[in-house]
Amino acid sequence: KVSGESLARVIRYAIERQRAEVELRRSEEHFRTLIENSSDVITIVASDGTIRYQSPSLERILGYPPQELIGKIIFDYVHPDDLAKAMEAFVGALQHAGVPASVEARFRHKDGSWRIFEAVGKVLTNEAGEMSIVMNSRDITERKRIENALRESEERYRRLVELSPDAISLTNLDGITVMCNQQKAALFGFESPAELIGRNALDLIAPEDRPHAIGNVQKYLDGFEGGREYTFLKKDGSRFLA
């Protein structure tokens, strides 16, 4: 015969277990939603390089249905020129469990093109002591394209400045010279642009003209296109008007 108290405990246990199962399902569903909508590709790779898991985002980003790569060797999809550093990062992660390893490498899209990925991997050990690596990979192809285009643009601008017959310099908002060409250095009696880098542009203006120069800075920032003559100082202290 079951007492009322024992029956109450059984009922409480059943209710708590049911509640725990509901929370677990909610947690799993939440996790699954995050994985499926993540902008990252999540991959689990065995210690021998075999792909054990691919998140659903793989198909959206690289064109492969996740199941297509399960059981494949991940390094077969890495660009040959990036293979050495990718394998080095992989081995390093296995040898230093707990320490994330990162690498940039090109990964082959299903259409045959190459995408640049930034991957971070960390060792995961199961109950049997088997090691695998959980990788979070992000497609940075567009970011790298923009960075390269920006570098090329800056290089073209720098070459135009260097080759210009005019004296040209660039200062930051504090008036510190961050770039100038040889013509500017020669005009002020310096041997090389390096002597002007880091110097305040006001140091090259005669003291009596500095207040006017400071007052005109805001006008230039507001789009004022007019000019003004100043008395400038050369390296040797001599003056000239420009």
Side-chain angles (χ1 to χ4, degrees):
K1 184 178 180 179
V2 180
S3 67
E5 184 178 348
S6 297
L7 181 60
R9 283 200 299 269
V10 170
I11 294 174
R12 281 200 302 272
Y13 172 77
I15 292 173
E16 290 173 359
R17 180 175 178 177
Q18 185 179 32
R19 184 181 296 121
E21 289 174 350
V22 170
E23 289 301 319
L24 179 60
R25 283 196 296 271
R26 286 178 180 172
S27 178
E28 290 175 344
E29 182 62 31
H30 178 65
F31 178 73
R32 186 180 300 110
T33 301
L34 289 176
I35 293 295
E36 291 176 352
N37 294 285
S38 173
S39 59
D40 291 356
V41 175
I42 300 174
T43 309
I44 299 178
V45 186
S47 58
D48 63 357
T50 302
I51 298 172
R52 289 180 172 173
Y53 171 82
Q54 285 283 16
S55 63
S57 56
L58 177 74
E59 187 166 12
R60 184 178 71 253
I61 297 172
L62 283 172
Y64 301 98
Q67 288 299 321
E68 185 174 333
L69 296 193
I70 303 301
K72 303 292 180 62
I73 301 298
I74 192 170
F75 300 112
D76 291 343
Y77 296 85
V78 176
H79 193 285
D81 293 344
D82 296 337
L83 188 57
K85 65 178 180 180
M87 294 185 73
E88 181 181 357
F90 188 83
V91 172
L94 290 172
Q95 292 176 340
H96 302 90
V99 180
S102 61
V103 67
E104 279 187 17
R106 284 163 288 183
F107 202 89
R108 188 170 67 243
H109 193 282
K110 189 174 177 66
D111 64 12
S113 63
W114 294 99
R115 307 293 294 178
I116 305 172
F117 273 77
E118 182 179 63
V120 178
K122 190 173 181 180
V123 168
L124 177 69
T125 305
N126 63 17
E127 295 179 355
E130 297 173 332
M131 290 194 301
S132 56
I133 293 181
V134 180
M135 296 171 50
N136 283 66
S137 306
R138 175 165 297 180
D139 186 350
I140 59 170
T141 307
E142 184 63 15
R143 189 187 84 190
K144 300 297 285 188
R145 185 193 67 78
I146 293 173
E147 289 176 353
N148 290 335
L150 182 59
R151 277 195 298 271
E152 291 174 1
S153 176
E154 290 176 343
E155 182 60 28
R156 285 196 297 270
Y157 175 75
R158 186 179 300 277
R159 286 184 60 81
L160 287 173
V161 169
E162 291 173 350
L163 297 174
S164 174
D166 299 325
I168 300 175
S169 64
L170 177 67
T171 65
N172 61 22
L173 293 179
D174 294 323
I176 303 301
T177 301
V178 295
M179 185 177 72
C180 75
N181 60 4
Q182 181 61 41
Q183 290 74 8
K184 175 68 176 282
L187 178 65
F188 284 85
F190 294 92
E191 294 184 4
S192 72
E195 294 184 74
L196 287 172
I197 303 301
R199 182 188 293 264
N200 196 306
L202 288 176
D203 294 344
L204 302 177
I205 299 176
E208 63 271 20
D209 281 351
R210 289 174 188 171
H212 301 293
I214 294 172
N216 283 330
V217 168
Q218 188 58 51
K219 292 182 180 179
Y220 296 141
L221 293 175
D222 292 337
F224 175 70
E225 297 181 359
R228 189 189 193 290
E229 288 188 343
Y230 298 104
T231 299
F232 290 97
L233 302 175
K234 290 191 174 185
K235 182 178 180 179
D236 63 7
S238 59
R239 297 179 169 218
F240 68 96
L241 190 66

